[in-house]
């Protein structure tokens, strides 16, 4: 009876260790993906600011040049 329980516990422990390794691998993948997403977000924000600034500049030129 004890041998059976020990074997079951060892099997459960092995399964848990395997699941833990899979979780660690998924965590690493998600951390890398999150870093890439953060970089992309920063780039989009920068480009959005550049575009907005260009539009505002064009609007000022039009306001200055065109009649009211």
């Amino acid at each position: 009876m004890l041998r059976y329980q020990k074997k079951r516990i060892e099997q459960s422990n092995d399964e848990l260790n395997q699941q833990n390794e899979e979780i660690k691998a998924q965590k690493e993948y998600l951390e890398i993906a999150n870093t890439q997403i953060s970089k992309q977000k920063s780039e989009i924000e920068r480009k959005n600011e550049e575009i907005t600034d260009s539009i505002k500049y064009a609007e000022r030129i039009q306001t200055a040049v065109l009649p009211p």
Side-chain angles (χ1 to χ4, degrees):
M1 180 70 166
L2 287 175
R3 285 183 187 177
Y4 173 76
Q5 288 177 336
K6 180 182 177 187
K7 186 170 178 91
R8 293 272 300 158
I9 290 171
E10 288 173 347
Q11 287 174 341
S12 294
N13 193 35
D14 290 343
E15 290 172 8
L16 289 172
N17 285 333
Q18 183 179 6
Q19 289 173 351
N20 192 34
E21 291 301 316
E22 290 173 9
I23 290 170
K24 284 180 184 179
Q26 290 174 351
K27 181 183 176 221
E28 289 175 13
Y29 172 80
L30 290 174
E31 287 173 347
I32 292 169
N34 190 39
T35 300
Q36 291 173 338
I37 290 168
S38 293
K39 288 178 182 178
Q40 290 172 347
K41 180 181 180 269
S42 295
E43 181 70 13
I44 289 169
E45 287 173 342
R46 185 184 63 77
K47 287 182 179 184
N48 186 50
E49 187 174 336
E50 288 176 1
I51 291 169
T52 302
D53 289 346
S54 293
I55 291 170
K56 288 178 183 177
Y57 183 67
E59 183 181 29
R60 280 183 282 173
I61 292 172
Q62 286 178 347
T63 303
V65 172
L66 297 177

